[in-house]
Amino acid sequence: MIAADRPVLKVEGLARHFVTKDFFGREVHRVRAVDGVSFSVAPGETLGLVGESGSGKSTTGRLILRLDDPTAGQVHFEGQEITGLGKGQLKAMRRRMQVVFQDPYSSLNPRMRVGEAVAEPLRAHRLFKTAAERRERVAQLFQRVGLDPRFAERLPHQFSGGQRQRVGIARAIAVEPKLIVADEPITALDVSIQAQIVNLFMDLQQEMGVAYLFIAHDLAMVRFLCHRVAVMLRGRIVEMASTEQLFADARHPYTQALISAMPIPDPDRELARQRIFYEAVTPPQEAQLQEVSPGHWVLSS
Ligand SMILES: Nc1ncnc2c1ncn2[C@@H]1O[C@H](COP(=O)(O)OP(=O)(O)OP(=O)(O)O)[C@@H](O)[C@H]1O
Ligand SMILES: [Mg+2]
């Protein structure tokens, strides 16, 4: 069991509203992309964040990474409140919190050799004294993620999607972070490659004890990979539980609908599968998460 007492990440009342104003500065439209989200992630744990498109998953990730600033709420990373940190402190924090994006192609510089891309964070954080030591470390990292170290001289376009994502992962683990925010890291890959990359994530976690916030669409993958799952709907978490609890005993109608939409790899049972439909409604502002059994939280309606 994973100790939840000293979380690596703790998010409290996090909100990000996007406001459109007219010529006179009057508010004409407000998107509550994230609207009062709280959760924590324990060291070495994987928390899955799922929900329909536009439910606020990526925005939540960006707020945690400090790529965006919240309208309200706090992010505590390793016990430190990070939403107010200045540049220098942010840099120190970034060494311990890394990101893997959905599309490794757009997150890698097309003109930079991939070995350089992996070495970049090592250089930025001055982790090695000499270029030779850095190269040695890059070669190790390549091997660790299943790439031939000789590929370090290549450019991103010379790789397949799966290989590029391995480069992205090597770059993320180079500085031995405590948390990786992974925003749909397998969604863009061929199905045959997805399982390999998921296995790589799991192996690295075993070895390094790194925690993941894993943003995903594919519930089957989430079920396989995540210790706990938080379900988002219109900027709110509507249900959060251990993976077993969530799949055995989903309480919120939106979670039930998501689970009922999962295909079953058995033709007889697939034929008999009953879909539950749920007309998504924005949860009422005053709704609160309630603990229905230990560790299982459901948004009241
Ligand atoms: N910079 C922005 N300006 C205005 N609205 C934004 C901005 N970024 C996100 N939004 C809106 O915030 C909401 C949440 O977006 P977000 O990208 O977090 O959703 P998501 O759950 O990651 O969706 P997807 O599964 O499609 O990646 C959406 O309605 C989106 O249009
Ligand atoms: Mg997204």
Side-chain angles (χ1 to χ4, degrees):
M1 198 50 214
I2 286 159
D5 48 347
R6 286 196 61 210
V8 62
L9 176 73
K10 188 168 171 211
V11 166
E12 280 180 318
L14 200 63
R16 176 66 166 107
H17 297 176
F18 294 102
V19 176
T20 318
K21 292 184 175 160
D22 69 6
F23 181 74
F24 303 103
R26 290 173 305 206
E27 179 177 330
V28 287
H29 190 59
R30 177 177 291 254
V31 176
R32 296 169 182 270
V34 176
D35 205 22
V37 158
S38 305
F39 60 81
S40 59
V41 182
E45 183 185 36
T46 304
L47 177 69
L49 198 54
V50 301
E52 66 186 359
S53 186
S55 56
K57 305 180 297 295
S58 294
T59 305
T60 301
R62 291 174 54 79
L63 293 171
I64 292 166
L65 290 156
R66 278 293 312 267
L67 297 173
D68 192 4
D69 293 318
T71 308
Q74 287 109 40
V75 177
H76 300 266
F77 178 63
E78 295 188 307
Q80 184 183 28
E81 214 282 307
I82 63 164
T83 44
L85 290 188
K87 254 191 167 170
Q89 293 162 305
L90 262 185
K91 186 179 170 190
M93 182 212 86
R94 290 232 158 90
R95 178 173 164 197
R96 305 194 311 275
M97 188 195 306
Q98 289 286 313
V99 61
V100 175
F101 290 108
Q102 171 172 342
D103 178 4
Y105 200 57
S106 56
S107 57
L108 290 170
N109 179 343
R111 283 179 295 275
M112 189 188 272
R113 296 183 193 286
V114 293
E116 280 303 301
V118 174
E120 204 177 44
L122 299 175
R123 193 179 294 125
H125 294 285
R126 300 180 204 284
L127 294 186
F128 293 92
K129 285 200 187 70
T130 66
E133 285 174 324
R134 235 180 0 246
R135 266 198 304 277
E136 179 63 26
R137 170 71 174 150
V138 169
Q140 267 176 16
L141 286 163
F142 267 61
Q143 240 148 10
R144 187 58 211 86
V145 300
L147 290 172
D148 186 331
R150 287 173 301 183
F151 290 178
E153 296 302 315
R154 295 191 181 174
L155 292 167
H157 74 88
Q158 295 173 289
F159 287 93
S160 69
Q163 287 174 324
R164 274 200 293 267
Q165 197 55 295
R166 288 179 195 273
V167 174
I169 293 169
R171 191 181 144 100
I173 63 167
V175 292
E176 300 187 353
K178 293 292 168 211
L179 174 72
I180 294 178
V181 176
D183 191 351
E184 311 248 12
I186 58 166
T187 309
L189 304 176
D190 286 352
V191 177
S192 59
I193 307 295
Q194 288 184 342
Q196 294 176 12
I197 299 294
V198 164
N199 282 325
L200 177 60
F201 273 109
M202 289 175 96
D203 290 348
L204 291 172
Q205 185 170 60
Q206 286 254 301
E207 264 170 48
M208 305 171 47
V210 60
Y212 298 128
L213 179 66
F214 198 88
I215 298 172
H217 266 110
D218 181 350
L219 276 187
M221 215 54 100
V222 164
R223 186 176 198 171
F224 181 65
L225 177 75
C226 299
H227 301 106
R228 283 190 304 131
V229 183
V231 180
M232 276 190 87
L233 174 66
R234 311 254 174 114
R236 302 289 300 273
I237 290 178
V238 297
E239 188 156 6
M240 182 160 56
S242 72
T243 306
E244 301 91 85
Q245 275 172 320
L246 193 88
F247 283 91
D249 186 24
R251 301 288 182 92
H252 195 280
Y254 179 59
T255 315
Q256 292 170 348
L258 280 182
I259 292 175
S260 81
M262 285 172 72
I264 304 170
D266 169 344
D268 294 329
R269 287 173 56 219
E270 171 64 21
L271 257 182
R273 174 160 65 95
Q274 296 276 329
R275 285 286 304 267
I276 298 171
F277 291 96
Y278 177 65
E279 182 87 37
V281 286
T282 304
Q285 208 85 59
E286 65 282 2
Q288 300 274 343
L289 277 176
Q290 285 169 345
E291 197 168 20
V292 295
S293 63
H296 187 167
W297 298 82
V298 183
L299 196 71
S300 62
S301 48

